[in-house]
Amino acid sequence: MALAHRQLGALPKQIPSESLIPEQSLGDLIGISQVMQKVYALIHRVSQFRFPVLILGESGTGKELVARAIHSESQRRLCPFVPVDCGTLVPALIESELFGHMKGAFTGATDNKRGLLETAKGGTLFLDEIGELHLGMQVKLLRAIQEQEIRPVGANALIRTDVRIIAATNCDLEKAVRAGAFRQDLYFRLNIVQIKLSPLRNRREDIPQLIGLFLERFADLQPSIHGISEEATRRLTAYEWPGNVRELENAIEHALALGSGSMIEVCDLPSSIQSDSLVEIADEKEPLSLRVLERRAIYRALTQTNGDVVAAARILCMGKTTMYRKLKEYGVKRNGGPTGRISD
Ligand SMILES: Nc1ncnc2c1ncn2[C@@H]1O[C@H](COP(=O)(O)OP(=O)(O)OP(=O)(O)O)[C@@H](O)[C@H]1O
Ligand SMILES: [Mg+2]
């Protein structure tokens, strides 16, 4: 069955349609591309309402910055913005983390504890990596969003909540719904408005502005460096950026930390960028799919780190959970050795 899918720009009827105002930044987000301007316009519009927002995009595309911008543009800005990484919450403690608990509710519950849904009262709860939340918690979360009340673990009484929910994921939630790993009713509840962030390789016009931002951000690392050479900028603009803006940020930090001249040169860039430019890829005889490129990058990072998955994930600017999922998906062994073949 086809799932309801509200893409960027297709908003519920009650949202007034206004013309797009060209902007180069919003909150901590920058970017002059058309797609980023649509994102800014959407942030302005959804921030006036309290319905849930679902933010989609590859790792490092700025999902958390978008969530923060929605919060700071809204009337809730003076109340807390509470981020929760659903991928790292310990399953046994997740209910108590979100809903709180009463003293004595379980072994180790020595005091009453407020849950994150209560901590975020009047503000925004940002549920990052929502696709990682296990099914049992999905039911309870859906109830909490619908009823706007929660029952802390071990409590008899319900507590009213007033929280705006923003969820984000880099996985395909519709696929997860079809596979039975994500509840369809929760998906529908969260997917009132969807903001989809483009990968950096699809908005290369934003790269020079982002380079400028990160040069300023890390200027203290090497005050003798005053800029970046044309060739280095060309390489950065041509690179595929599997880790998106976060990888670009890390690359500039790396170049500033290790550079020695007055400008960042190609040789100061991380080795993956020096060699992996589109120029090299263009020389390949066979067509390359993004899956193959990603698998190669994972394979190489694991080889460089002697199979240390966490260190390899860091090189790739990828979350640990995502890395383990990709290893399984691509059949790559921890020592970097492939166990299967990826079809293009
Ligand atoms: N448009 C942007 N302008 C400025 N900085 C950005 C932009 N997009 C991302 N960044 C920076 O890139 C880094 C990653 O951003 P963020 O954490 O929001 O990404 P994400 O999509 O939540 O990634 P993940 O899926 O891995 O959690 C942050 O340091 C953020 O400041
Ligand atoms: Mg994030």
Side-chain angles (χ1 to χ4, degrees), residues 270-294:
S271 52
S272 51
I273 297 168
Q274 288 183 41
S275 59
D276 245 14
S277 69
L278 279 184
V279 182
E280 190 194 5
I281 291 166
D283 286 343
E284 297 261 358
K285 302 277 176 296
E286 299 294 320
L288 281 172
S289 72
L290 288 176
R291 275 172 64 77
V292 169
L293 280 174
E294 185 173 67

Side-chain angles (χ1 to χ4, degrees), residues 28-31 36 40 55 57-67 85 126 128-129 168-170 197 203 206 210 213-214 217 243-247 249-250 317-319 322:
D28 287 333
L29 288 162
I30 66 167
M36 282 309 292
Y40 303 149
I55 306 171
E58 291 179 9
S59 190
T61 45
K63 296 185 291 298
E64 180 154 351
L65 288 192
V66 169
D85 185 341
F126 174 51
D128 203 0
E129 304 296 351
T169 181
N170 58 18
L197 294 175
R203 48 182 168 104
D206 290 340
L210 286 163
L213 173 78
F214 299 136
R217 183 170 295 172
N244 294 292
V245 184
R246 182 182 291 111
E247 190 183 4
E249 184 175 356
N250 292 349
C317 306
M318 197 181 262
T322 311

Side-chain angles (χ1 to χ4, degrees), residues 4 22-23 27 54 83 102 119 125 129 205 212 224 239 251 264 273 281 285 292-293 336 341:
E23 279 177 289
L54 182 61
M102 307 304 288
T119 308
L125 185 71
E129 304 296 351
E205 62 272 44
S224 58
Y239 183 62
I264 292 177
I273 297 168
I281 291 166
K285 302 277 176 296
V292 169
L293 280 174
R341 196 182 171 282

Side-chain angles (χ1 to χ4, degrees), residues 115-228:
L116 295 170
L117 272 144
E118 221 187 322
T119 308
K121 194 172 182 174
T124 305
L125 185 71
F126 174 51
L127 296 167
D128 203 0
E129 304 296 351
I130 187 78
E132 306 284 333
L133 201 64
H134 68 76
L135 282 163
M137 266 322 290
Q138 290 176 22
V139 185
K140 293 185 174 162
L141 179 64
L142 176 65
R143 199 175 308 133
I145 297 174
Q146 272 171 347
E147 310 298 329
Q148 290 180 47
E149 48 189 23
I150 51 168
R151 186 193 304 277
V153 182
N156 295 321
L158 292 165
I159 299 175
R160 291 292 301 164
T161 56
D162 168 22
V163 173
R164 189 201 195 149
I165 302 287
I166 302 182
T169 181
N170 58 18
C171 76
D172 184 342
L173 275 190
E174 291 194 4
K175 199 167 150 197
V177 169
R178 283 194 295 271
F182 200 84
R183 289 184 64 96
Q184 190 178 52
D185 46 11
L186 179 59
Y187 175 72
F188 285 147
R189 187 71 203 129
L190 296 174
N191 192 31
I192 308 284
V193 171
Q194 203 178 86
I195 298 184
K196 201 165 187 177
L197 294 175
S198 289
L200 190 56
R201 62 185 164 277
N202 292 349
R203 48 182 168 104
R204 294 181 191 276
E205 62 272 44
D206 290 340
I207 292 177
Q209 196 191 5
L210 286 163
I211 294 174
L213 173 78
F214 299 136
L215 281 175
E216 252 174 56
R217 183 170 295 172
F218 302 115
D220 288 349
L221 287 175
Q222 200 76 258
S224 58
I225 297 183
H226 300 302
I228 180 163

Side-chain angles (χ1 to χ4, degrees), residues 319-341:
K320 236 182 353 184
T321 326
T322 311
M323 182 70 165
Y324 280 112
R325 183 166 41 81
K326 301 243 176 224
L327 289 180
K328 213 163 132 198
E329 187 184 327
Y330 290 155
V332 176
K333 281 186 192 161
R334 274 166 177 238
N335 64 6
T339 57
R341 196 182 171 282

